[in-house]
Amino acid sequence: MDGIDADVFCLLGDGECAEGSVWEAAQFASANGLANMVAIIDVNGLGQTGSTAYGRDTGVFARRFEAFGWSAIEIDGHDMHAIRDAFYRSRNERPAVIGRGP
């Protein structure tokens, strides 16, 4: 928001995405046009005390972030070409989220 020419990366876990503060931040980033922000979610199906509600379904997170005005990219987190391509594709006119699945 200060006009700094830098990219901002945020690492999230799928268990962490059950918290409201994640969605408040997602809404803030979209409403304020923070197109230089990229969130990376490690969707491993594990929460603090057990399995997460959605297992390893990256599509749930993609749809939620898209509803907040983000660009969503789902990838296989073990494929380096997919990871590099996702970072390239994340550069657009709105915040982006990359969902890493198994």
Side-chain angles (χ1 to χ4, degrees):
M1 290 178 52
D2 290 336
I4 297 169
D5 185 26
D7 294 322
V8 177
F9 297 92
C10 180
L11 301 176
L12 301 168
D14 52 342
E16 181 179 9
C17 288
E19 298 294 329
S21 58
V22 169
W23 303 108
E24 289 175 20
Q27 182 179 9
F28 180 88
S30 181
N32 288 282
L34 302 182
N36 64 330
M37 176 172 270
V38 178
I40 303 157
I41 305 176
D42 180 14
V43 182
N44 61 13
L46 301 173
Q48 183 176 9
T49 59
S51 299
T52 58
Y54 304 110
R56 295 182 174 173
D57 185 0
T58 58
V60 171
F61 300 103
R63 290 187 298 276
R64 285 184 175 192
F65 273 93
E66 287 171 340
F68 280 96
W70 287 52
S71 171
I73 304 164
E74 297 178 70
I75 62 168
D76 174 351
H78 299 284
D79 181 344
M80 281 306 297
H81 294 291
I83 294 169
R84 290 179 58 197
D85 182 59
F87 281 115
Y88 176 77
R89 291 175 34 209
S90 71
R91 296 185 165 275
N92 57 50
E93 300 298 317
R94 54 191 179 147
V97 62
I98 299 171
R100 180 217 79 70

